[in-house]
Each structure stands twice: as structure tokens, then as C-alpha cells.
Amino acid sequence: MNQKNQLRKNPSRETCESIIRRILMTELTQNGKNRHFRKAADFMSYFESLYPASDALTKQVQRAVQSLHMPKDADGFFIVDKTAAQVEQEQCLGKLFADANVSLHPMEQVETVFLSVPSHMQELLLHTFEQSDLFAGQILTIVRTCNGLLIYTEDKKQLLSLLNRLINQQ
């Protein structure tokens, strides 16, 4: 063995873990997600550029990957920034969102209208709004308050026109 190889011993498992995390975090930062690393062997070219290639180095890298307990995405790539439990929760929420046909409505585009309604009439009016074809597509959501109903809409002008027409009908 030459003197260079004696100075470059194999890294500890902890050192390998740290390097693997750093590699994956760099991958995540640069590409948004891991698109290159699925198994311990995928890290070997990096480790072999720093340490002499050997079966012991390969085993050390394999042990490090195993001890990190990293979950994998649907394509089999390691996920470095989440635990297996977090990935499972995310998948469960994704399925629930899909089953419930969840859609996102950024609040920057939503306007509010307050409808003053006595508390004893709020529930009936709320139910009527929910069932009404007249208000379909006009009301994003309604929140009961102590003095009335707070209505969130994406078209305030049209909703106000409709509400004013109904109020002035009395």
C-alpha cells in the first residue's frame, strides 16, 4: 500500500451519512427534487473520488444509506427532506384531497360582503344560500358571525347586484 492510501482511510458511517445528506440537499436545491439517487451504488462515484475504491467503502456507504431510513418517491428516488411518516401523511392527504375534489382559491382574488341578519334567521338563510340555484357560483363560502353572515365571493359586483335586488324586493 502506498502512503497516500494509508492517509485516506474509509470514512465513518456518520461521515458517509453527512455526505449523503449534503449530496441530496444539493440535488434538492438545484433540481427541486432528487432525480439521480435511488440506491447506495448511485453515491459510489462521489465517494470513490474521495476515498480508495474497496468493498469496505461500498459496505460503509450501504450502511449509511440504510441507517438514514430515507423514504422513496413513486419513482424510487430517495426523499431527503421528509420522514417516512411525513411522506405517508402527505400521500393520505393527497388521496383525501382527490376524493373530496378539493380546489384552491387564493384569497387575493376573493372579496367579502357582509349581510346583516338576526342570529335566529342565520341558519335558515345559510341553508337557503347553499341550496339556491340563484346563488350557485356566486358564493365561495359563508361564515356565520354574531351579527350576520360574512360572504366570500370572487365577483362582488354581481353578488351585490343580486342581493340588492332581493333586499329591495321587500
Side-chain angles (χ1 to χ4, degrees), residues 54-88:
S54 69
D55 288 343
L57 177 64
T58 301
K59 286 182 177 149
Q60 195 72 307
V61 172
Q62 289 170 342
R63 282 188 208 107
V65 167
Q66 285 177 332
S67 71
L68 286 169
H69 303 292
M70 289 181 290
K72 293 185 176 185
D73 66 14
D75 298 320
F77 293 106
F78 290 119
I79 302 171
V80 69
D81 59 340
K82 295 177 188 153
T83 66
Q86 288 171 323
V87 170
E88 186 179 335

Side-chain angles (χ1 to χ4, degrees), residues 25-26 30 38 47 64 67 86 93 101 106:
M25 289 308 290
T26 300
Q30 290 177 349
R38 293 182 180 176
F47 281 95
S67 71
Q86 288 171 323
L93 281 171
N101 198 25

Side-chain angles (χ1 to χ4, degrees), residues 10-47:
N10 283 333
S12 69
R13 191 197 75 222
E14 290 81 10
T15 300
C16 290
E17 289 175 15
S18 174
I19 292 169
I20 289 168
R21 269 196 214 95
R22 203 168 41 237
I23 290 169
L24 289 173
M25 289 308 290
T26 300
E27 176 83 1
L28 187 66
T29 303
Q30 290 177 349
N31 300 320
K33 71 180 240 174
N34 171 22
R35 295 188 177 125
H36 294 100
F37 302 95
R38 293 182 180 176
K39 55 191 181 301
D42 297 336
F43 296 100
M44 288 312 297
S45 62
Y46 180 81
F47 281 95

